[in-house]
Amino acid sequence: MIQVENLYKKFGKNEVLSGLNLTIDKGGIFAVLGPNGSGKTTLIKSILGMVVPNKGDVSVSGIAIKKNWKYRQEIDYLPQIANFPGNLKVKELIRMIKDIRQRPSDEQTLIELFKLDSFLDKKLSTLSGGTRQKVNIVLAFMFDCPLLILDEPTTGLDPASLIRLKELIKKEKANGKTILITSHIMQFVAEVADEIIYLLEGKIYFKGSIEQLKKKTDQTDLEHAIAAIATTPANA
Amino acid sequence: MLKILKYSFYDLIRSRWSYVYFLFYLLLGFVLLFLNNDVSKAVITLMNIIIVLVPLIGTIFGVMYYYNSKEFIELLLAQPIKRSSIFLGQYLGVAGSLTLSLVLGLGIPFVLYGLFKSDAIFDFSLLLVTGAFLTLIFTALSFNIALSNENKIKGFGYAVLLWLFMAVIYDGLFLMSLIIFKEYPLDTFSLVATMFNPIDLSRTLILLKLDISALLGYTGAVFKQFFGTDKGLFISIFMLVLWTVIPIWRLSYKAKRQDF
C-alpha cells in the first residue's frame, strides 16, 4: 500500500526525517507515534505530496508519487489543524470538495452522525473548534478511499463524538482499509490501533503490535511503554 | 484548474472590494467623460490614474488574497489536483476579477458616451489593454512575493516596495542617469530602460499614441520613431506579454517545490 524508502527532509538546518524506511502492505490501523517534532506530520505530508522530500522515494499503491497527483484520488486526509476558508458555508465547502473529487460520497449519514444539520448554513469562521473538527471529519470520511490518513483526529471532540469517531474508524477498518493515525492520546491509540510505528529523530525506532511494544519495554500499559521506549536500546 | 478558477472567481465576485473597485472606475469614467467633454484629455487623465493605481491595487489585492486563501490552498493540496493548477487557478481568479472590474468600470461609461462612433476608440482600447496587462503583471509579481514569504508582514512590505520601485523610484533613477550621462547618446539606453519597467512602457505606449509626443522634444522623436510604428507597438506588447509570462512561469515553478 505505502512504501517509503530512505526518506530525507530538512527544514532549513533542522533535519526532520533522516533516512526513514517504512512499508505498509496490508489493511489495518497504524498509529504513527513519537515525541513532538519527531517528524510525524512531515512523514504524513510527504506521503500526501504536500512536503517535497530532499531525498528518497515514496510510493502509494505501487505508484511513485513524485510529479504525480492522481494517486491522491485514493487517499482521504484529515489535516491536523482544521483551517478552512472562513467565508464559505459548511454546505458550500462540502459541495465544493465533492465537485473537485468527482467521486460518490456519503456525507448525509456522517452529517447526521455528528449532528451537523443545524450548522450547514453557517459560515466556517463562526464555528467552534470542535464543530470545525467534525466538519473536517465529514470531509475526510465521506469518500470511499482505500487509504485514510488522520492527523490528530481527536482534537477538540467531546466524549460522545469521540465514541462515534472510534466506531467510524473501526467500521472503515472492517471494510479492509488502511488507516494511518497520529495521536498523543494513548488511550485512543490503545483502543483502535493494530500496529504502532514509533518515530524518533527522523527514523522509525519501533514498528510492531502493542503487545510487542509492552513486552519490549517491560511495561503493562501503552502510555508508560511509549514513555519508556526512547530509553530502551533499539535491539533489546 | 478551471474548477479552482471558478471557485476563487466566485469568491471574489462576492467580495465587497471587487464592487468598490468596479464602482470607483465607473464613477471615474462618468465624471471624466461627461464633465470634461474632451475624450483625448479624459484618456490622458485616466492613463495617469490607471498607470499608478492599477499596479498598486493588483499588488495589494494579490498579496492579500494569497495570504487569506492559504488555508484554502492547504485544503486543496491534499486533494487530487495538480499543484500548478491550484496556484494558476487562484491567480487567474484574482487577476481576472480585477481586470473585469477595470474593463467594465471604464467600458460602460465609454460605451454610453458613444465611443464606438468616436475616433478615440483605438486610444481607449489601448488604455484598457495596458490596464489589463498591468493587472496581470502585478498580480503575478505579488503572488510570487507572497509564495516566497511565509511572513505576512514581510510579504506585504516587499510587495509595496516593489510597487513603489516600479511606479516612482525607477523613474527617479532613470532621470538621474539621464542627467549624469547627458554627454553620451542616450536614445537606445532610454528605450531599453523603458522596456524594463512595465509601468513606464505602458505610459510611453499610450502617450505616443495620443499624438502629444511633440511635447517631448528630441527624445520624444526617437521614441515616436520606435513606439509609433507597428513594429514598436508589436515589440512593446511582446514585452508586456513577457512581463506577464515570466512571473507566472516562476509562480508555477516555485509552487511545485514549496513545502506546505
Side-chain angles (χ1 to χ4, degrees), chain A residues 79-168:
Chain A
Q80 183 171 16
I81 301 159
N83 272 335
F84 295 124
N87 53 353
L88 281 180
K89 287 176 189 162
V90 176
K91 207 167 57 181
E92 290 169 325
L93 180 71
I94 292 175
R95 203 190 316 139
M96 188 182 81
I97 298 292
K98 273 170 67 180
D99 183 29
I100 286 171
R101 295 198 67 146
Q102 299 282 354
R103 259 170 169 266
S105 63
D106 182 26
E107 72 276 13
Q108 208 46 52
T109 36
L110 289 165
I111 288 169
E112 279 159 27
L113 183 67
F114 287 102
K115 307 202 164 39
L116 283 170
D117 278 311
S118 53
F119 295 103
L120 283 180
D121 278 316
K122 295 223 164 80
K123 287 199 170 175
L124 283 150
S125 54
T126 60
L127 299 185
S128 74
T131 315
R132 225 178 279 185
Q133 183 67 0
K134 286 182 197 166
V135 175
N136 204 4
I137 291 171
V138 171
L139 288 178
F141 280 89
M142 67 185 189
F143 301 102
D144 189 22
C145 293
L147 177 60
L148 257 163
I149 298 180
L150 312 172
D151 200 349
E152 294 281 354
T154 56
T155 315
L157 290 184
D158 55 59
S161 311
L162 193 59
I163 291 170
R164 286 186 205 114
L165 175 69
K166 279 184 221 160
E167 280 164 7
L168 204 58

Side-chain angles (χ1 to χ4, degrees), chain B residues 29-259:
Chain B
F30 272 116
V31 167
L32 282 178
L33 280 174
F34 289 92
L35 296 184
N36 199 342
N37 268 325
D38 183 343
V39 181
S40 154
K41 266 187 196 159
V43 169
I44 294 178
T45 316
L46 271 179
M47 179 204 76
N48 278 322
I49 296 171
I50 285 183
I51 256 26
V52 178
L53 196 69
V54 164
L56 180 67
I57 299 287
T59 313
I60 293 194
F61 240 72
V63 172
M64 256 173 29
Y65 188 77
Y66 178 84
Y67 285 130
N68 271 339
S69 54
K70 245 188 134 194
E71 291 128 22
F72 184 43
I73 291 174
E74 274 167 31
L75 181 72
L76 291 176
L77 281 168
Q79 305 297 330
I81 313 170
K82 225 166 124 186
R83 260 199 193 188
S84 49
S85 307
I86 299 175
F87 288 92
L88 290 183
Q90 294 251 310
Y91 161 71
L92 290 175
V94 180
S97 79
L98 286 179
T99 310
L100 200 70
S101 293
L102 173 77
V103 171
L104 285 184
L106 289 182
I108 291 171
F110 268 82
V111 169
L112 291 181
Y113 185 74
L115 180 86
F116 288 126
K117 279 171 252 149
S118 89
D119 48 0
I121 175 95
F122 183 73
D123 297 341
F124 180 69
S125 349
L126 189 66
L127 188 74
L128 286 190
V129 169
T130 47
F133 264 118
L134 285 178
T135 309
L136 290 174
I137 292 169
F138 278 86
T139 314
L141 290 174
S142 70
F143 257 63
N144 269 295
I145 291 175
L147 186 64
S148 308
N149 289 284
E150 284 273 301
N151 186 331
K152 284 185 194 184
I153 308 286
K154 258 193 188 167
F156 220 83
Y158 286 141
V160 172
L161 268 183
L162 172 81
W163 170 79
L164 200 67
F165 179 79
M166 289 297 198
V168 184
I169 300 173
Y170 190 90
D171 285 352
L173 293 176
F174 186 26
L175 279 178
M176 274 194 355
S177 58
L178 289 186
I179 292 168
I180 294 169
F181 298 108
K182 64 178 176 220
E183 308 294 319
Y184 302 91
L186 288 167
D187 326 350
T188 323
F189 166 74
S190 4
L191 271 181
V192 172
T194 308
M195 288 287 181
F196 278 106
N197 183 340
I199 296 184
D200 278 353
L201 187 60
S202 315
R203 183 187 289 138
T204 320
L205 202 59
I206 297 168
L207 275 182
L208 289 165
K209 278 287 165 219
L210 286 178
D211 283 332
I212 45 165
S213 47
L215 300 173
L216 298 174
Y218 169 69
T219 330
V222 173
F223 270 59
K224 178 85 188 166
Q225 226 175 40
F226 180 76
F227 286 102
T229 59
D230 284 345
K231 190 179 128 211
L233 182 71
F234 177 74
I235 293 178
S236 313
I237 299 280
F238 177 71
M239 279 308 285
L240 285 178
V241 171
L242 267 192
W243 263 105
T244 318
V245 170
I246 292 173
I248 294 179
W249 172 80
R250 191 197 171 260
L251 179 71
S252 94
Y253 176 87
K254 180 94 181 130
K256 275 184 205 147
R257 280 151 190 82
Q258 187 94 336
D259 294 321

Side-chain angles (χ1 to χ4, degrees), chain A residues 38-63:
Chain A
S38 58
K40 301 184 293 288
T41 299
T42 307
L43 173 64
I44 281 176
K45 286 189 169 178
S46 303
I47 294 172
L48 280 163
M50 292 170 79
V51 164
V52 185
N54 298 117
K55 221 170 97 182
D57 296 302
V58 180
S59 54
V60 175
S61 311
I63 308 163

